[in-house]
Amino acid sequence: MKKKWTLEETKILFKKPFFDLMFEAQKKHRKYFNPNKIQISTLLSIKTGSCPEDCKYCPQSSRYKTGLKKEPLLEMEKIISAAKKAKSSGSSRFCMGAAWKNPKEKDIPYLEKIIKEIKLMGMETCMTLGTLNSLQAKKLASAGLDFYNHNLDTSRNFYSNVITTRTYQERLDTLNIVRDAGMKICSGGIMGLGEKTQDRMELLMELSNLSVPPESVPINMLVKIAGTPLENNQNIEPFEFIRVVAAARIMMPQSYIRLSAGRQNMNDQTQAMCFMAGANSIFYGCKLLTASNPEEESDLKLLKKLNLNREYKKQTIPKENKYNSIMKSSKIKEDKYYNAAT
């Protein structure tokens, strides 16, 4: 029977001496994962800016003047080119984000086509498009979408301090719709929004106490963007951030814990401690939607220092379908493609 975490148990966990917490997290990690393997994903913004939401951390909101260049939905060729580059760089999952409150029905056929094309490359697919209804989720799942990202961001109690255009329950409802459609869930939070330690506890409780915990849990450090309401927020102390990663590993022992946005502000030692605490996934590439990310060369050097190897698992490539015209011309050999399926 799946453990249901209480606030009292979570408080005890967070109050553990730092090295005791790290030791427990490392034991959990080694029970379910190879500690020397790391899953690599790449994230691309396929539609940038003009989002009607008011998320106070996000430069893509139409409410804030951040100097962000707005872009409509990218052309198929540009998306496939980016996916091919990600694959050749070692990524096994291609994640795509569109700055919408929710996708329109007219956009779904194009999104289905994108998914099918990338699946033909042998990569896992993930999208974050905002709120979904049941029919949209089923269509995306049928097209082959493996993961849907929809972050809770923070605790239920602190949420309204960050976002007012979408309720916390709406986010949970979308996660349930995604799960019911048969897709895996990618959902986590952002540290440094101005939340208290208990908000971090309650966020991890919400995620771990879902009927099935998210298969991927991104733990983000706030990237402060000029022009957003949170641009002057106080930095989260690195050891407090590492504690969150360790607690996430213990509370969700079989999930991939992704060290996500904010890595460009972490030194090698902080990242190494996060990996020791149980993080076993990263976004690879110089950009995360619109925020900066460490250069690929920098990441390769760090992984080499830590003797961390990329995780590969063979994935079956779908048979050719009517959407494969682009891939036919790319001269891709199917048997060379692998992924890090969870």
Side-chain angles (χ1 to χ4, degrees), residues 23-281:
F23 182 63
E24 184 175 347
Q26 181 67 191
K27 286 196 298 182
K28 287 284 187 184
H29 187 49
R30 288 173 178 269
K31 181 177 179 179
Y32 295 102
F33 295 97
N34 183 332
N36 299 311
K37 297 283 187 181
I38 189 162
Q39 188 272 328
I40 307 290
S41 297
T42 293
L43 177 61
L44 174 71
S45 178
I46 61 172
K47 185 271 176 184
T48 304
S50 299
C51 182
E53 302 277 29
D54 68 349
C55 308
K56 292 182 179 178
Y57 53 80
C58 186
Q60 301 208 63
S61 172
S62 60
R63 299 162 188 254
Y64 314 131
K65 295 181 179 180
T66 62
L68 180 70
K69 183 181 178 181
K70 302 169 187 176
E71 295 180 352
L73 263 173
L74 289 181
E75 298 171 356
M76 176 69 73
E77 288 78 4
K78 290 182 178 180
I79 297 172
I80 295 301
S81 176
K84 288 168 65 177
K85 181 180 178 182
K87 186 66 185 180
S88 66
S89 296
S91 290
S92 57
R93 185 180 306 161
F94 194 65
C95 308
M96 294 156 278
W100 286 321
K101 182 178 178 66
N102 53 274
K104 302 295 186 291
E105 292 305 321
K106 65 182 178 63
D107 298 313
I108 299 299
Y110 185 57
L111 297 173
E112 291 176 286
K113 184 175 179 180
I114 292 170
I115 294 164
K116 290 176 180 179
E117 291 285 3
I118 294 173
K119 292 291 286 185
L120 283 171
M121 296 171 61
M123 296 186 81
E124 280 187 316
T125 52
C126 178
M127 283 184 169
T128 178
L129 313 167
T131 301
L132 294 179
N133 61 42
S134 296
L135 182 58
Q136 290 173 334
K138 289 175 182 176
K139 286 181 178 179
L140 295 176
S142 295
L145 189 62
D146 298 293
F147 286 82
Y148 194 78
N149 169 261
H150 202 60
N151 291 331
L152 294 183
D153 288 342
T154 188
S155 72
R156 189 186 295 264
N157 291 325
F158 189 72
Y159 182 83
S160 61
N161 293 292
V162 183
I163 302 157
T164 66
T165 50
R166 181 190 301 163
T167 68
Y168 204 73
Q169 189 57 50
E170 282 180 296
R171 288 187 181 254
L172 290 169
D173 290 344
T174 294
L175 292 181
N176 288 331
I177 286 171
V178 167
R179 181 68 75 192
D180 289 343
M183 288 181 282
K184 296 175 184 177
I185 289 175
C186 174
S187 186
I190 306 172
M191 307 302 126
L193 297 173
E195 77 284 350
K196 299 183 184 303
T197 300
Q198 182 160 323
D199 293 307
R200 298 167 194 161
M201 296 178 190
E202 291 176 0
L203 167 66
L204 296 185
M205 285 175 56
E206 286 278 3
L207 293 167
S208 64
N209 288 340
L210 291 172
S211 59
V212 178
E215 285 80 1
S216 284
V217 182
I219 305 295
N220 300 273
M221 181 182 286
L222 176 67
V223 178
K224 294 182 284 187
I225 306 294
T228 63
L230 302 185
E231 63 174 303
N232 295 315
N233 266 31
Q234 184 176 349
N235 293 333
I236 182 173
E237 203 278 327
F239 285 108
E240 289 302 308
F241 185 84
I242 296 165
R243 277 185 180 274
V244 175
V245 174
R249 168 51 66 218
I250 294 167
M251 296 172 74
M252 292 170 278
Q254 298 186 61
S255 301
Y256 279 74
I257 308 297
R258 178 177 297 129
L259 192 56
S260 198
R263 285 199 301 119
Q264 78 279 11
N265 296 323
M266 302 178 197
N267 60 26
D268 285 357
Q269 291 80 4
T270 297
Q271 292 188 68
M273 290 293 282
C274 287
F275 294 137
M276 183 178 289
N280 61 339
S281 177

